[in-house]
Amino acid sequence: MTQTPLPLTEAVIQLDRLEQDIGQAVSGQRQAIRELLVALVAAGHALLEGVPGVGKTLLVRALAAAVQGRYARIQFTPDLMPSDVTGHAVFDLKREAFRIRRGPIFCNLLLADEINRAPAKTQAAMLEAMQEGQVTIEGQALALEPPFLVFATQNPIEQEGTYPLPQAQLDRFLLKIAVAPPSAEAERAAVRAATSGRIGDRLDTSAVRPLLDTETLQRLQLSATTLRLDERVLDYAVALVRAARDWPGVDSGPGPRASIALVRAARAHALIEGRDFTTPDDVRCMLPAVLRHRLRLGAELEIEGVSADALLGELVERVPAPRD
Amino acid sequence: MRLERLTAQLRPCPAWQAIDLGFALARAWFPALWALWWCTALPLTLIVLALAWLHSDLWLLALWWCKPLYEAPLLLWASRALFDERPRRGALPGMLGAGLRPRLLPLLLWRRLSPRRALVLPLLLLEGLPQRARRARLRTLAGGSASGWLTLVCYHLEAILWGGMLLGLYLLIPEGLPGIDLIAALEDSAAPAYWISSACYLLACSLIAPFYVCAGFALYLSRRTELEGWDIELAFRRAPPPPAAVLPALALLAPLLLAPPPAEAETWPAPEAARARIAEVLDSPDFGATREVELWLPVADPAQRSTEDAEATWSATPPPWLAGTIQWGLVTLGAIALLILIRALWRERSPRLPRSARTEHEAAPEPHSASPIDHETEIRRLLAADDPGAAIGALYRASLERLDRLGLSLPPGATEGSCVQRASARLPHRVGVPFAAIAAARQHAAYGDRDPSAAHVERLLSHWRRWQGRTDAH
């Protein structure tokens, strides 16, 4: 069945509700929620990074509660094997043949919690799934049912016993969302909500209604791809990525996949903003989330304490925006 | 001491060359010296470990303080090896015992922190002089020996080696294995890391000690060579013996050659007579007298001589004009170098745009420098040409120019949204709100392909005219 894009008004209403519901479950993370929705609408994977306890897992759980699809969660550990993620072949004694037992990756929304705790071979098991939407088990390629989105979390401060994601794997993530601690007011509200009439500290996503089924979600994603994109906006996005690539002090810059990701994210952002066209503001807004994990800063900048976000902040001020 | 059996060539040399000779000797004998160091140090390490258990700082301090004990056997071994007498295994206990000799007491007590330890050690162990004579001897030997510098350099080498080992361990332990806490390794004597650090220091000491001792010994030899002319003595000893056939003849001639003249032999002066003779010689008019001698020397051609003089003057002192030119040239070069340095630093501080972005920036249209009336004329012309999209674009650019004049600096990368944000934050409401409307209309026209109506542009234009502080004429 050929899918049709969701009309703009309906798409905006759905996304608005989604944003509000998730915002009720996770307070004080407006920017992170917005970027998570961008990843959802742009059909891209997202890596959430933040210190423990800021609500990374809750954020993804809330999103999963809103999307009526199959949701799976994998806690990444050092002894996790690739087959624990993708699945494996088992011998069926009754049929006297091997049977494929599918792993938790066969779902619509996958939460890969603390992804950097698993060794590189297990992380690499997700590469094929993330890029090609399929998994190969015993030489047999099995397609993943769309939509397939991976939301991974990692902790930036505990480096002991972790395996930093390789650049190739990082590049598969459309966005890297920095989940910062909430403001004092938002934290107060979160504490009040989490301790009033509730036993224990389980993640509560009851405020989130099941708003989107997988079909609607795909139509929403299709809507984002049909938004108007002016040539000047396209040029601006490409210029930004190319400038980041050649920026002094950057050891390894973003590749063309980053340009594609930036435009996809900008389109999704424009849809969430309720517009049927993309502006340079959308590009500018999504630039840090799209590029911060694709930049490898040189030793000189690292020593000076320049972060990727600070560098991108300077870059965006210096690369000319379209004005004609 | 059999100087002729020396395995190294002795000659008077500066202190640094002597130290270099010591280092070369240490390199040649390193395995034996290193093993000897551990033979003394290891038992002591274990004894002190048993005494100062769980107090790694005390353990390390005690081992450090007893360093002369481990160095004494090394010196004895080196002193014998230098004279081509490699000590046998049986001699080892004797050499180890040297570490416990009472002669070393000064080095373990009041001379422990002496920077001349390397030079004092051979003096104490090899000469065995009484205390007063030893003091005078040390004063004589230590002058210009650079033994203090040797101690300082070796101390730094030890520290560098120790730090290097510690850092190497810290960096090379794979992730996932328990690592070394560098702070604890330096400060917390109860931490296991401190024990590792202490072991590293001990190892560094063992590696440097052979070089330190040999260099000190070489300094000692160098000073004695300089003061006592060992090299000359050695040269005589090594001189080839006279041929055998000549010996009988020399034996026969010896009385004739060596015997003093009979008269002198008979009248060998007594000391009083010798003194009187000396006084007589000193008083004689010929002793210490000066004489003026006049003689004729050939003189060269005056022309040639003046040329030679000029050349000599030229090479000795350049003419003032040349010196001035060179001086000003150097000052100019220095100024240029300074300017280049400042420019480089300035560029370093403000990273340049990459070429691709710069080119685009250069190609980007600059805000029109036309007057407000020109802008308005242009906008009206575009409206008359039924091109409201272009008209709103021109109005947006004119607004940016106006914001710039109002002191709102907008970087080249400022998009419509960021311009509006800055204007709302820093400019009065009467400016921020109309500008936001202009920017929104411009966004719809430029990127949404949704041109505003001519009336809307007129309205926005009239707002813009109010910014300029002029009344709408229409």
Side-chain angles (χ1 to χ4, degrees):
Chain A
M1 188 179 70
T2 312
Q3 283 177 332
T4 52
L6 211 61
L8 180 68
T9 323
E10 198 180 331
V12 171
I13 290 170
Q14 292 275 18
L15 286 167
D16 195 40
R17 280 185 196 157
L18 199 60
E19 197 168 12
Q20 278 182 11
D21 276 21
I22 297 174
Q24 280 181 1
V26 188
S27 52
Q29 296 294 354
R30 197 171 167 185
Q31 176 72 14
I33 293 170
R34 171 59 65 94
E35 288 176 356
L36 197 68
L37 287 185
V38 167
L40 183 79
V41 175
H45 312 291
L47 175 65
L48 288 87
E49 189 175 85
V51 293
V54 286
K56 301 184 291 291
T57 308
L58 178 62
L59 206 54
V60 181
R61 287 284 301 272
L63 182 69
V67 178
Q68 296 169 294
R70 279 200 298 163
Y71 163 74
R73 177 185 190 278
I74 307 173
Q75 178 65 48
F76 277 62
T77 54
D79 59 348
L80 190 76
M81 300 299 289
S83 57
D84 296 334
V85 177
T86 57
H88 53 274
V90 290
F91 190 72
D92 190 341
L93 290 172
K94 281 185 185 171
R95 292 191 299 170
E96 294 189 339
F98 278 98
R99 185 168 58 82
I100 301 288
R101 186 171 179 178
R102 297 182 175 209
I105 203 166
F106 288 89
C107 64
N108 298 119
L109 254 71
L110 176 70
L111 168 59
D113 218 1
E114 296 190 277
I115 191 170
N116 56 341
R117 293 217 175 270
K121 64 179 177 183
T122 310
Q123 292 170 359
M126 297 177 64
L127 278 180
E128 184 188 6
M130 289 170 73
Q131 185 62 35
E132 297 170 32
Q134 67 170 30
V135 173
T136 305
I137 303 172
E138 295 291 322
Q140 190 181 341
L142 304 169
L144 294 168
E145 189 187 331
F148 171 69
L149 298 169
V150 176
F151 295 100
T153 69
Q154 70 174 18
N155 176 352
I157 51 168
E158 285 174 10
Q159 297 302 320
E160 202 170 313
T162 61
Y163 302 85
L165 289 171
Q167 204 65 33
Q169 175 113 25
L170 281 174
D171 205 29
R172 260 58 175 195
F173 287 101
L174 180 82
L175 305 179
K176 181 176 176 184
I177 301 170
V179 186
S183 63
E185 194 182 340
E187 192 167 343
R188 215 165 33 241
V191 171
R192 190 180 295 116
T195 52
S196 307
R198 232 184 259 174
I199 301 169
D201 60 350
R202 286 190 181 174
L203 302 179
D204 182 35
T205 55
S206 56
V208 184
R209 294 165 291 172
L211 294 168
L212 289 175
D213 55 22
T214 53
E215 191 188 340
T216 314
L217 176 58
Q218 286 183 79
R219 289 181 66 199
L220 200 61
Q221 290 171 344
L222 193 61
S223 303
T225 63
T226 57
L227 293 194
R228 181 182 157 72
L229 179 75
D230 191 78
E231 283 300 311
R232 282 167 294 186
V233 181
L234 182 67
D235 289 347
Y236 179 55
V238 172
L240 282 172
V241 174
R242 291 183 71 84
R245 198 176 301 152
D246 301 335
W247 199 256
V250 172
D251 262 4
S252 156
R257 188 186 278 143
S259 304
I260 297 167
L262 184 56
V263 171
R264 277 171 63 198
R267 280 181 191 271
H269 186 263
L271 185 64
I272 295 169
E273 285 282 313
R275 275 184 271 107
D276 61 350
F277 60 92
T278 317
T279 65
D281 278 316
D282 296 318
V283 175
R284 183 187 169 105
C285 190
M286 295 316 302
L287 186 78
V290 172
L291 291 195
R292 65 165 66 104
H293 57 298
R294 293 182 163 100
L295 287 179
R296 200 173 66 197
L297 304 186
E300 195 182 330
L301 293 182
E302 294 274 8
I303 291 167
E304 284 178 8
V306 176
S307 66
D309 279 13
L311 187 143
L312 290 169
E314 191 186 341
L315 180 144
V316 86
E317 293 288 308
R318 295 169 74 90
V319 174
R323 284 187 186 167
D324 54 342
Chain B
M1 193 184 301
R2 300 177 64 184
L3 281 179
E4 66 276 11
R5 297 188 66 178
L6 264 174
T7 52
Q9 193 177 356
L10 281 186
R11 60 183 170 78
C13 58
W16 294 111
Q17 280 186 18
I19 290 175
D20 203 27
L21 170 71
F23 279 11
L25 292 175
R27 274 203 304 276
W29 302 328
F30 185 79
L33 292 174
W34 194 61
L36 198 58
W37 193 91
W38 277 109
C39 284
T40 324
L42 199 60
L44 202 70
T45 305
L46 296 175
I47 292 167
V48 178
L49 188 67
L51 292 174
W53 181 245
L54 293 181
H55 291 284
S56 54
D57 42 357
L58 286 180
W59 178 69
L60 189 63
L61 180 67
L63 289 177
W64 177 78
W65 193 265
C66 293
K67 270 168 90 174
L69 289 183
Y70 332 133
E71 289 165 0
L74 267 59
L75 178 69
L76 287 179
W77 196 97
S79 64
R80 288 197 190 179
L82 189 72
F83 291 97
D84 205 17
E85 289 176 22
R86 290 292 175 99
R88 291 190 303 274
R89 282 185 186 174
L92 283 179
M95 271 186 276
L96 294 178
L100 304 172
R101 283 185 189 180
R103 287 182 201 167
L104 282 177
L105 216 55
L107 278 181
L108 290 172
L109 296 174
W110 62 91
R111 283 200 187 278
R112 174 59 187 90
L113 298 177
S114 164
R116 294 171 178 170
R117 200 174 82 238
L119 198 65
V120 175
L121 197 63
L123 200 67
L124 286 174
L125 278 181
L126 304 178
E127 296 194 2
L129 296 169
Q131 194 179 355
R132 189 174 293 174
R134 193 168 62 215
R135 213 173 284 163
R137 181 102 175 116
L138 181 61
R139 267 199 302 275
T140 312
L141 285 179
S145 68
S147 53
W149 282 108
L150 173 68
T151 305
L152 192 68
V153 167
C154 285
Y155 170 74
H156 278 90
L157 287 176
E158 252 176 30
I160 289 166
L161 207 58
W162 166 60
M165 278 189 249
L166 208 57
L167 269 180
L169 279 175
Y170 173 73
L171 294 172
L172 296 180
I173 290 178
E175 283 185 6
L177 293 177
I180 291 180
D181 183 356
L182 281 182
I183 304 294
L186 298 175
E187 292 177 356
D188 186 3
S189 61
Y194 196 89
W195 285 97
I196 295 171
S197 162
S198 304
C200 286
Y201 181 69
L202 209 58
L203 186 60
C205 287
S206 77
L207 292 171
I208 296 299
F211 292 94
Y212 181 62
V213 171
C214 286
F217 186 43
L219 270 178
Y220 169 79
L221 291 175
S222 163
R223 283 296 286 163
R224 287 199 65 174
T225 305
E226 192 182 340
L227 295 171
E228 298 169 23
W230 277 11
D231 54 329
I232 301 169
E233 186 182 343
L234 201 58
F236 275 121
R237 287 192 188 189
R238 284 176 178 166
V246 180
L247 284 176
L250 280 176
L252 287 172
L253 290 172
L256 296 174
L257 292 172
L258 298 176
E264 280 185 31
E266 284 168 7
T267 58
W268 190 261
E272 291 76 20
R275 277 195 208 100
R277 181 75 184 276
I278 291 167
E280 189 185 333
V281 168
L282 289 175
D283 291 341
S284 72
D286 289 341
F287 190 81
T290 55
R291 280 189 303 172
E292 277 188 21
V293 179
E294 287 185 10
L295 49 101
W296 292 88
L297 289 173
V299 178
D301 181 29
Q304 190 186 345
R305 192 178 168 186
S306 66
T307 317
E308 281 172 5
D309 286 352
E311 280 173 3
T313 313
W314 163 263
S315 59
T317 50
W321 64 267
L322 182 65
T325 311
I326 291 171
Q327 186 185 1
W328 279 108
L330 287 174
V331 168
T332 313
L333 281 175
I336 291 169
L338 191 67
L339 282 175
I340 291 171
L341 185 69
I342 290 169
R343 188 161 169 261
L345 286 174
W346 180 255
R347 282 186 172 191
E348 194 72 23
R349 282 178 62 82
S350 52
R352 299 171 71 196
L353 269 178
R355 187 174 293 279
S356 53
R358 208 163 57 238
T359 315
E360 286 164 26
H361 178 46
E362 282 157 5
E366 292 295 320
H368 294 282
S369 56
S371 68
I373 298 169
D374 293 338
H375 285 307
E376 191 176 341
T377 313
E378 175 65 11
I379 293 162
R380 290 202 179 284
R381 186 187 66 75
L382 290 166
L383 281 176
D386 199 19
D387 192 354
I392 193 72
L395 183 56
Y396 175 68
R397 285 189 293 277
S399 307
L400 289 182
E401 194 182 319
R402 178 64 187 151
L403 290 179
D404 190 42
R405 279 192 206 144
L406 287 172
L408 185 71
S409 66
L410 294 169
T415 52
E416 289 84 0
S418 55
C419 290
V420 169
Q421 206 175 0
R422 282 164 201 250
S424 313
R426 297 184 200 168
L427 294 177
H429 192 62
R430 62 181 176 80
V431 177
V433 173
F435 176 69
I438 292 171
R442 137 87 183 172
Q443 272 191 331
H444 279 81
Y447 313 120
D449 204 13
R450 223 169 277 143
D451 287 346
S453 64
H456 187 53
V457 178
E458 284 281 2
R459 235 184 350 264
L460 293 172
L461 183 61
S462 70
H463 287 313
W464 177 76
R465 281 168 59 83
R466 282 195 202 104
W467 282 9
Q468 312 289 330
R470 291 183 293 145
T471 52
D472 195 345
H474 298 271

